[in-house]
Amino acid sequence: MSNLVNSIQLQGSEKIGIVLATYNPHLEYFHKQIQSIQNQTWRNWVCHIVDDCSLPKYQAEIKKTIDNDSRFICHFHSDNLKHYYNFERGLQYCIQDPTITAIAFSDQDDIWEAEKLEILLAELRSKQVLLVHSDLKLINSQDETIHPSTWDFEGRNPEKATVELLLLRNVVTGCSLLFCTSLIPYILPFPKHEFGWHHDWWVALVAIKKGKIAHLRQPLIRYRIHNSNTVGVVQDAGKIYTEFIVWTRNKYRITGKSYLFHYNLSKALADRFQNETNSSLINPFDTLRLDFGLGILKLCYQSWQNRYGSEGIALRIWIIKVLFDIKKIKNYIFKFLSISQYNNIQNK
């Protein structure tokens, strides 16, 4: 009885803002997502549907779907920003409502368990953390369960996450999280987009840099996997053998993109908190240090020691860093020899 009373009292004081990003949604999946939000046991919420320039027929269907529920607010845009910036646009709408105390993200094609918001908010407040996220069930296009746990399927151990390990691999799925609005001043604006960056990764990094994250091993979302997914899941993602398989499929090509991706993400986080006196983030992906990836190898060891499951990613980035440093040394030698040769010519 006391839990029910507490829940009723909280619902009078706590309001959750939901950012639902849409783009030409699969209408059957979209209707199920909307219905699952409407069925939430936590009733005090508002959902900003942020449409990223869908075709007119989809915009009309979105309006029709939520027409009788004033808790949904539609925002249609004439410019397509892609999902990263579209979620940022959604946060801008949420911060205009000072009564919102926590924010959740939603995709357009999943199904939320009825207790999702209520359980996450209870965890957020009882554990006094800045962000909480849950596990997810994997379902197919027919709503059939593919795997009961995304975390087990991908080999995630989010409880072991640190700032540095989270920079190596994101283990927080956007549609499963809930975070305090107090984080917004540090989250916005999003850093300039790099290929492969995602809104949930940035929000999780800011949260773990500012405080604590809670990890709930209870699937509160049925996470749909289908051909139109913007982001999917990979079995045993981040493991050495998984990375090797991907490498062979790419015909053993090595590019610097993945290394620069992590370097820029780490730099963006350091830049965001550069004015804080207690900020002591060391960039393990620093391009200026000629260390042959020693910092990245340390991350690899931490991942193995903590069973974080990202040794394959670390080794891939380490190889690229070694090649960068070798190239840097070659350039130094070439420059030195060129100067020496020039001086010899001048002396003659």
Side-chain angles (χ1 to χ4, degrees):
M1 182 68 179
S2 60
N3 289 336
L4 178 60
V5 172
N6 290 336
S7 178
I8 293 173
Q9 289 175 342
L10 274 175
Q11 296 209 36
S13 60
E14 294 257 18
K15 182 178 180 181
I16 296 176
I18 304 169
V19 178
L20 198 170
T22 58
Y23 175 70
N24 293 341
H26 186 293
L27 296 180
E28 179 187 352
Y29 301 159
F30 178 72
H31 292 157
K32 290 179 179 179
Q33 174 69 89
I34 293 297
Q35 187 175 30
S36 73
I37 295 176
Q38 290 175 319
N39 290 340
Q40 289 297 297
T41 56
W42 188 268
R43 307 298 296 172
N44 192 12
W45 52 261
V46 59
C47 181
H48 291 275
I49 297 179
V50 189
D51 187 75
D52 201 22
C53 194
S54 292
L55 294 173
K57 65 176 183 179
Y58 291 104
Q59 293 187 13
E61 190 62 34
I62 290 171
K63 288 180 182 178
K64 180 180 177 182
T65 303
I66 54 88
D67 190 47
N68 295 323
D69 195 333
S70 61
R71 293 174 297 177
F72 290 93
I73 304 172
C74 288
H75 308 274
F76 296 105
H77 300 93
S78 58
D79 52 338
N80 181 267
L81 299 183
K82 307 300 182 184
H83 72 280
Y84 177 79
Y85 284 121
N86 196 37
F87 274 105
E88 179 188 32
R89 189 158 49 185
L91 289 179
Q92 297 285 359
Y93 291 118
C94 282
I95 62 177
Q96 295 174 18
D97 183 350
T99 64
I100 291 176
T101 56
I103 295 176
F105 292 132
S106 173
D107 295 331
Q108 63 185 13
D109 49 14
D110 300 323
I111 300 174
W112 288 10
E113 300 296 348
E115 302 85 7
K116 174 184 182 287
L117 292 180
E118 185 171 2
I119 291 175
L120 289 179
L121 187 58
E123 287 286 309
L124 191 73
R125 300 312 180 200
S126 64
K127 293 186 177 178
Q128 297 182 327
V129 294
L130 293 175
L131 182 149
V132 60
H133 69 121
S134 74
D135 198 353
L136 316 87
K137 289 182 182 178
L138 295 177
I139 63 172
N140 61 17
S141 56
Q142 284 78 45
D143 300 349
E144 299 167 335
T145 299
I146 302 172
H147 199 284
S149 168
T150 298
W151 291 5
D152 290 344
F153 182 79
E154 287 201 325
R156 297 189 200 180
N157 284 301
E159 296 91 347
K160 304 297 183 180
T162 62
V163 177
E164 290 78 15
L165 287 175
L166 195 57
L167 279 167
L168 188 64
R169 176 194 178 190
N170 183 29
V171 289
V172 178
T173 304
C175 59
S176 74
L177 63 80
L178 183 72
F179 65 93
C180 300
T181 53
S182 60
L183 279 178
I184 290 293
Y186 305 97
I187 292 171
L188 296 178
F190 281 6
K192 185 178 179 181
H193 178 267
E194 295 286 339
F195 177 77
W197 289 17
H198 300 290
H199 63 288
D200 48 11
W201 201 346
W202 175 246
V203 171
L205 282 168
V206 171
I208 202 169
K209 185 69 179 67
K210 286 296 297 180
K212 294 182 180 180
I213 291 178
H215 318 277
L216 186 60
R217 283 192 173 271
Q218 176 183 354
L220 295 177
I221 288 189
R222 282 175 273 173
Y223 188 55
R224 193 181 302 278
I225 302 300
H226 55 90
N227 293 334
S228 301
N229 277 78
T230 302
V231 181
V233 295
V234 178
Q235 188 169 11
D236 295 330
K239 301 294 179 62
I240 293 175
Y241 67 85
T242 305
E243 289 289 325
F244 182 77
I245 291 173
V246 173
W247 188 39
T248 56
R249 287 176 182 171
N250 291 332
K251 300 180 180 179
Y252 306 102
R253 288 179 299 173
I254 296 177
T255 68
K257 288 183 179 179
S258 59
Y259 172 74
L260 292 175
F261 161 83
H262 286 86
Y263 163 75
N264 288 326
L265 183 60
S266 184
K267 185 177 184 300
L269 187 65
D271 290 345
R272 183 58 53 93
F273 292 98
Q274 63 181 340
N275 295 325
E276 296 209 357
T277 55
N278 62 343
S279 182
S280 58
L281 180 65
I282 298 175
N283 189 351
F285 313 103
D286 192 350
T287 58
L288 298 178
R289 274 202 309 268
L290 192 63
D291 62 354
F292 293 95
L294 180 60
I296 300 171
L297 280 180
K298 289 180 178 178
L299 267 187
C300 183
Y301 176 73
Q302 289 177 29
S303 176
W304 172 78
Q305 187 181 44
N306 296 326
R307 297 183 179 179
Y308 191 67
S310 300
E311 300 89 277
I313 298 173
L315 289 176
R316 164 166 50 87
I317 301 169
W318 171 72
I319 291 172
I320 298 171
K321 180 62 163 70
V322 169
L323 294 176
F324 275 0
D325 285 354
I326 291 174
K327 183 178 180 181
K328 191 180 295 185
I329 290 176
K330 286 182 177 179
N331 290 337
Y332 287 152
I333 294 173
F334 178 77
K335 185 177 181 180
F336 174 77
L337 293 177
S338 298
I339 293 173
S340 298
Q341 186 177 16
Y342 175 79
N343 290 334
N344 289 335
I345 294 174
Q346 289 295 103
N347 291 334
K348 291 179 179 179

